[in-house]
Amino acid sequence: MELAINEKDQLPLRNAGDSAAPIESTKATKPDAGLRSLDHYKNKLPAWQYAIRQKLIPLIRWETPYVAKLQNAMRCSFLDSYFSITANLGTHTFFMIFLPILFWCGYTNLGRGMVHVLASGVFFSGFIKDMLCLPRPLSPPLSRISMSHSASLEYGFPSTHSTNAVSVAVWAVYMLRSAGPDVDPTLRFTLEVLSYCYATSIVLGRLYCGMHGFFDVVVGSILGALLAMVQCLFGDIFDDFLFHGSSLAPVLVVLVICVLVRIHPEPADDCPCFDDSVAFAGVIIGVELGNWHFARTSLAWDLPVPATVPFQLHTIGWLYATARVVVGVVVVFAWREVMKPTLLKYLPPLFRVVESLGLSLPRKFFVQASMYTRIPRNLKTDNVIPPVSEIPSLIKSLRHPRKNRSVSIGPQSEADAYEALALRDRKRRESNASASRLRHSTRNQGGSDNLDDVFIGDLRSSNLSGTPCMTGLTTPARSEKDLDDDLMSSDFVVLEPFLTPSSLSSAASASSRRLSDDQREREKDANEIFSMLEKPRVRYDVEVVTKLIVYTGIAWLAVEGNPLLFELIGLGLDI
């Protein structure tokens, strides 16, 4: 049965006869009661993944109040703006715009290393995130400060920002120290200090902004350092294999990357980590293929590494060097603007043929081509490079950070919601256990039939379902008591009578009623929290291949396509 698209809601719907019912594949956009159970991750994850998650989740819960106290002690308007702005220096968008410039200015060796550590960092941190499905530290008690909405939709462990920042800093310091006497000692020292400050600022900023806990940033930093060390130790060996080995070397690299994409774990929730991993897998493919082919042309330099783009600033001059950058960036954005809608339009029929042959490789949360007829125009499918239409608003947000940052309190993703529900249930069990101990104590002491009902516990219900975003505002610092209250606020008032000897005969029925009441409370909690979450958009199966092709093309343009274009239009070295 074919489907039409409700462009307003971006939901695939059945044909006119039953247009009110969304297709089964889109149920994940609003989890029903059966999916909101406390066993959600146990039901969704393989046993070994769930076992690891259960070992680590107590650590994240334990450290949350300490992260909240750190944030509360440091909060001020200046740091809100500083850390929300500098967080952009650790994003995929920043690196995807900055990295091509290294190649166009002749720093191919530095650029290749940066691509390797960044792409592997994004891929493997996303791999771990989707494998373990560990949430970010809960809000409240934390406030989340960000200029990006998509970041909060991902799982928290490990911190990709920390992985990127540390890997870049380690690789940059290694390159500076490997340069020998070619770099002025004062300049080398200054750049090394800036590298250390950059990594420290990004890592500390993830704690300050409430986006990660200590465990997230420590493991993310270790992962980044390890990936950078692999590049430092084995980067030259890999380059020799690619440039001087068999002509099948780039094919083997592409196959390995495609296998890694295929085995990327399926998350329990709709998390965009896989999208970013696919984008940077495409970047690696484009860089390796482009460098391999460009090294075989007569235009490429062999020093300091094969496939180096010819560039000498004193020969070209600042005017032409700037023109190269401008032309290169325009070409990259033009490629993205043309290829993305083209592929989203023409790939679905091909996917339907492949699916009819039984060769499709479906993933959760992606609607198969046989379930829709077309994809809405202007569908926002990319968190790495923004479309041209969003560039003015992006520049405006950087010019006026106080107006464009948001401070959010409450669950923002399904992972947040499930963690909030787990906290409420844990506190409810503790409350019931306390009530049971009190009843047991009263029984032992002997009760009186005319005892008044006693209010057990002064535990309050808090709105964990989320406070609306406060754009451009700084939330006031909260006292230590407020932070402790936030952690305890997920309890519900428990009203139980003391059991007297005359009422012991009804204990079994009372227990049954309490169980039923608990189930109703859990469902009420779930409805309350999930109703406040923004519905995730429908994701289409063709998006995976689209991202691979688009980002492979962007990387190829960076290392080969644009350098060839520079020579053709008079921006090369022979100007």
Side-chain angles (χ1 to χ4, degrees):
M1 178 179 293
E2 288 191 340
L3 301 166
I5 297 292
N6 182 332
E7 295 195 27
K8 180 178 179 181
D9 297 324
Q10 295 184 354
L11 292 176
L13 301 175
R14 300 184 189 278
N15 278 335
D18 24 275
S19 58
I23 63 171
E24 184 176 357
S25 301
T26 63
K27 286 183 179 179
T29 60
K30 186 176 181 180
D32 57 30
L35 295 181
R36 295 175 185 166
S37 70
L38 298 174
D39 292 331
H40 171 70
Y41 293 99
K42 185 177 181 179
N43 296 334
K44 293 292 184 179
L45 296 177
W48 67 272
Q49 290 178 217
Y50 178 73
I52 298 175
R53 184 183 190 275
Q54 290 302 99
K55 294 290 186 182
L56 297 178
I57 193 72
L59 179 58
I60 294 175
R61 292 169 178 169
W62 171 82
E63 69 176 1
T64 296
Y66 298 101
V67 180
K69 290 176 182 178
L70 173 67
Q71 183 189 61
N72 189 59
M74 295 178 63
R75 282 294 299 277
C76 68
S77 179
F78 170 76
L79 290 180
D80 280 7
S81 297
Y82 171 78
F83 283 120
S84 61
I85 292 175
T86 55
N88 293 299
L89 302 180
T91 61
H92 317 331
T93 303
F94 170 75
F95 289 118
M96 285 300 297
I97 295 175
F98 173 72
L99 286 176
I101 299 176
L102 293 178
F103 290 96
W104 302 334
C105 294
Y107 294 101
T108 297
N109 192 23
L110 177 62
R112 280 182 59 79
M114 290 284 193
V115 168
H116 290 162
V117 298
L118 287 169
S120 58
V122 171
F123 183 88
F124 286 112
S125 64
F127 192 99
I128 297 172
K129 284 181 178 181
D130 280 352
M131 181 175 68
L132 299 180
C133 303
L134 290 169
R136 297 179 184 273
L138 198 59
S139 170
L142 284 163
S143 300
R144 291 181 180 166
I145 309 164
S146 178
M147 297 178 70
S148 169
H149 171 67
S150 61
S152 61
L153 301 180
E154 298 180 2
Y155 296 117
F157 174 81
S159 166
T160 302
H161 273 76
S162 300
T163 300
N164 288 346
V166 171
S167 64
V168 166
V170 172
W171 174 245
V173 170
Y174 172 80
M175 290 295 292
L176 286 169
R177 296 187 177 182
S178 302
D182 294 339
V183 180
D184 178 73
T186 303
L187 178 61
R188 178 189 291 114
F189 175 77
T190 302
L191 293 176
E192 285 188 16
V193 171
L194 288 176
S195 297
Y196 295 135
C197 291
Y198 164 74
T200 302
S201 177
I202 295 295
V203 172
L204 180 60
R206 305 318 287 162
L207 297 172
Y208 178 90
C209 291
M211 303 301 290
H212 291 282
F214 301 112
F215 187 46
D216 300 338
V217 299
V218 168
V219 175
S221 299
I222 292 173
L223 176 62
L226 289 175
L227 293 173
M229 291 300 297
V230 169
Q231 174 62 27
C232 295
L233 294 174
F234 303 104
D236 291 340
I237 297 175
F238 176 77
D239 287 349
D240 184 67
F241 164 76
L242 180 69
F243 293 119
H244 305 296
S246 167
S247 58
L248 294 178
V251 177
L252 180 60
V253 171
V254 172
L255 288 177
V256 169
I257 294 172
C258 290
V259 169
L260 288 175
V261 170
R262 179 64 191 94
I263 66 174
H264 194 286
E266 293 271 15
D269 307 294
D270 192 356
C271 174
C273 298
F274 178 70
D275 302 57
D276 297 337
S277 296
V278 168
F280 275 84
V283 169
I284 286 284
I285 292 174
V287 166
E288 305 306 345
L289 290 179
N291 277 159
W292 175 81
H293 186 265
F294 188 61
R296 285 160 169 72
T297 67
S298 59
L299 294 176
W301 287 356
D302 291 330
L303 295 175
V305 294
T308 296
V309 178
F311 181 84
Q312 291 177 342
L313 183 59
H314 66 273
T315 301
I316 294 179
W318 281 103
L319 178 61
Y320 283 92
T322 303
R324 284 164 69 111
V325 172
V326 172
V327 171
V329 170
V330 169
V331 170
V332 165
F333 275 93
W335 163 266
R336 181 193 178 281
E337 290 295 307
V338 172
M339 288 304 299
K340 176 188 162 185
T342 301
L343 291 170
L344 291 178
K345 180 178 180 180
Y346 292 107
L347 279 181
L350 177 61
F351 269 56
R352 293 185 190 105
V353 173
V354 173
E355 186 180 341
S356 67
L357 298 176
L359 300 177
S360 61
L361 300 173
R363 286 184 64 89
K364 294 178 185 175
F365 309 111
F366 285 84
V367 182
Q368 291 185 277
S370 60
M371 302 298 288
Y372 60 88
T373 56
R374 57 187 174 85
I375 296 176
R377 294 180 180 179
N378 302 320
L379 183 67
K380 184 175 176 57
T381 63
D382 201 337
N383 296 320
V384 181
I385 292 185
V388 173
S389 60
E390 293 185 7
I391 293 179
S393 61
L394 179 63
I395 295 175
K396 182 180 178 181
S397 68
L398 294 176
R399 290 176 57 191
H400 305 285
R402 295 189 62 182
K403 294 182 179 180
N404 293 279
R405 70 169 184 259
S406 65
V407 180
S408 303
I409 300 175
Q412 296 175 276
S413 67
E414 290 182 15
D416 290 341
Y418 284 117
E419 183 63 7
L421 289 173
L423 179 61
R424 288 189 175 190
D425 187 73
R426 186 169 72 252
K427 295 301 181 182
R428 184 185 292 111
R429 290 199 305 270
E430 293 173 359
S431 175
N432 290 340
S434 297
S436 178
R437 286 193 296 271
L438 280 171
R439 288 194 300 270
H440 180 71
S441 174
T442 302
R443 247 193 341 263
N444 291 338
Q445 295 172 7
S448 172
D449 287 340
N450 61 2
L451 284 176
D452 293 330
D453 287 351
V454 180
F455 179 71
I456 300 175
D458 188 23
L459 304 173
R460 292 160 300 148
S461 174
S462 170
N463 180 17
L464 269 183
S465 57
T467 299
C469 289
M470 295 168 286
T471 303
L473 300 178
T474 302
T475 52
R478 290 174 288 172
S479 67
E480 185 169 327
K481 181 180 182 302
D482 292 333
L483 297 175
D484 292 337
D485 286 346
D486 278 337
L487 287 175
M488 298 297 294
S489 64
S490 49
D491 285 305
F492 285 84
V493 171
V494 180
L495 189 61
E496 291 282 354
F498 279 123
L499 293 180
T500 63
S502 62
S503 64
L504 290 176
S505 60
S506 61
S509 60
S511 176
S512 176
R513 286 196 302 272
R514 285 195 301 273
L515 180 61
S516 178
D517 290 343
D518 282 350
Q519 292 174 341
R520 284 195 294 270
E521 289 288 0
R522 290 191 184 103
E523 180 58 22
K524 177 183 176 182
D525 294 350
N527 289 332
E528 174 192 353
I529 292 178
F530 279 94
S531 66
M532 298 298 293
L533 297 181
E534 180 181 345
K535 293 182 180 180
R537 68 171 182 83
V538 176
R539 301 162 76 190
Y540 302 90
D541 52 358
V542 296
E543 292 181 38
V544 177
V545 174
T546 297
K547 276 188 169 64
L548 273 176
I549 295 176
V550 168
Y551 282 93
T552 297
I554 289 174
W556 176 83
L557 288 171
V559 302
E560 182 177 21
N562 278 339
L564 294 175
L565 177 64
F566 297 154
E567 296 293 333
L568 290 174
I569 64 176
L571 294 177
L573 201 57
D574 298 328
I575 57 176

